[in-house]
Amino acid sequence: LISCPGPFRQAANMSERVKNMVENKTCGRCKWITAHSGCQGKPDNSEDHIRAAAASGADVLEIDVRRVQGDLLLTHNDPEDPASCVSLKECFRLVKELSGQIRINCDLKHEGLERDVLALAEQEKMQGRIILTGTVAPELLETIPEWVMVSMNVENLLPGVYEAAEARGELRMTEEEETLLLEKARRYGVSSLNMNYRYFHRGLWQKMADAGIAFSLWTANDEETIRRLLAYDLENLTTRMPVFACRVRAELAGNPCR
């Protein structure tokens, strides 16, 4: 994942790592398994989810972050009762109590959250444990502190790309869209793309790998899909089934890749 400032230097480092992935052709090298909000059957964005994720063996836990009435809360949509939501500050403090290692993927649900989320993370001494996805503005990458990691959502670089594919009746980008995606990722120094797994395919993986760009895929929630995707070298796989995904990753480690 990209760290800033210095995104192009980081992209060069990623290029070498992804090149080694392709040449070695080994599986089970998914760097991170992320426990999606609501993992292991727990309610989304709840304390139970945070506890389950921390106990699952996952490398990262994902939460949805939204500003509601001036507060940063864990919620996907505007809540009817904001007081019922876990706050981001409470989340940070609970994670520190539960685990000294697991990272937090703050999936931003609307624009303009980057600075406030990172200011709170710094206040709560969460440096080095924060990953941003969601509505991260590509133009802000160079301003994001070095201790933050970002995986850029594909739709931030190509607005409407998923909707256009659905309108065509396809779960695939066009060749032109894939080329434009690569051009924009290079322009902003992106080295990790956060993508709906349904649009992922080997040709796209190879094209981006040749450019030193890795994939973070969301959200695989059945055993067959998890096994299939972990047959690729990925930066991250996000799932509501992190216990199973971690077990599969361990089983695949060192086996020949497809």
Side-chain angles (χ1 to χ4, degrees):
L1 296 177
I2 185 170
S3 298
C4 297
F8 292 97
R9 173 181 55 78
Q10 186 74 9
N13 293 340
M14 179 65 73
S15 178
E16 188 62 28
R17 191 178 79 79
V18 175
K19 179 182 177 183
N20 289 336
M21 287 181 180
V22 176
E23 291 178 349
N24 293 334
K25 297 187 183 301
T26 55
C27 293
R29 294 191 177 185
C30 183
K31 181 177 180 181
W32 285 330
I33 299 293
T34 292
H36 189 277
S37 178
C39 76
Q40 303 301 135
K42 305 302 181 183
D44 289 359
N45 295 304
S46 64
E47 286 192 6
D48 285 345
H49 156 65
I50 295 168
R51 294 180 186 278
S56 70
D59 309 287
V60 182
L61 69 86
E62 187 234 27
I63 53 172
D64 301 318
V65 181
R66 182 178 287 273
R67 185 186 292 107
V68 181
Q69 298 178 4
D71 295 324
L72 295 173
L73 302 181
L74 274 54
T75 179
H76 188 277
N77 300 309
D78 283 324
E80 293 183 5
D81 179 15
S84 68
C85 297
V86 178
S87 73
L88 185 58
K89 179 182 288 188
E90 291 170 334
C91 173
F92 286 162
R93 293 183 176 181
L94 179 57
V95 169
K96 285 192 291 185
E97 291 177 11
L98 296 172
S99 170
Q101 296 183 338
I102 196 167
R103 294 170 172 82
I104 302 178
N105 173 193
C106 296
D107 193 46
L108 309 184
K109 290 304 172 186
H110 59 81
E111 296 177 356
L113 290 175
E114 298 93 338
R115 289 184 173 86
D116 288 347
V117 168
L118 298 182
L120 180 60
E122 188 167 13
Q123 175 185 314
E124 294 298 320
K125 303 187 186 310
M126 296 297 292
Q127 292 95 327
R129 299 179 66 178
I130 302 299
I131 300 166
L132 296 183
T133 56
T135 57
V136 180
E139 298 82 5
L140 292 182
L141 280 177
E142 291 188 346
T143 71
I144 292 176
E146 190 175 43
W147 49 267
V148 181
M149 294 163 283
V150 178
S151 188
M152 182 59 62
N153 282 43
V154 166
E155 63 271 26
N156 295 345
L157 298 173
L158 295 181
V161 64
Y162 295 138
E163 293 81 358
E166 290 178 5
R168 296 192 301 269
E170 301 175 346
L171 288 176
R172 193 182 184 107
M173 291 187 288
T174 65
E175 187 71 25
E176 292 78 12
E177 288 169 337
E178 291 181 359
T179 298
L180 183 57
L181 177 64
L182 176 57
E183 290 175 358
K184 288 195 171 184
R186 283 174 164 165
R187 181 187 310 166
Y188 291 108
V190 170
S191 58
S192 176
L193 290 168
N194 194 39
M195 184 179 192
N196 185 329
Y197 82 86
R198 293 177 175 83
Y199 294 81
F200 175 82
H201 60 87
R202 180 169 181 81
L204 179 60
W205 175 84
Q206 186 71 61
K207 179 184 295 186
M208 295 300 170
D210 290 343
I213 299 171
F215 276 100
S216 170
L217 301 179
W218 55 270
T219 301
N221 293 323
D222 66 86
E223 295 185 1
E224 180 180 355
T225 299
I226 289 169
R227 286 189 177 278
R228 176 174 62 84
L229 295 176
L230 287 178
Y232 293 91
D233 281 299
L234 300 173
E235 189 73 0
N236 172 70
L237 180 65
T238 297
T239 176
R240 291 180 184 262
M241 301 169 60
V243 172
F244 177 78
C246 288
R247 184 166 70 245
V248 171
R249 179 175 61 175
E251 291 172 359
L252 290 174
N255 291 337
C257 198
R258 63 175 63 195

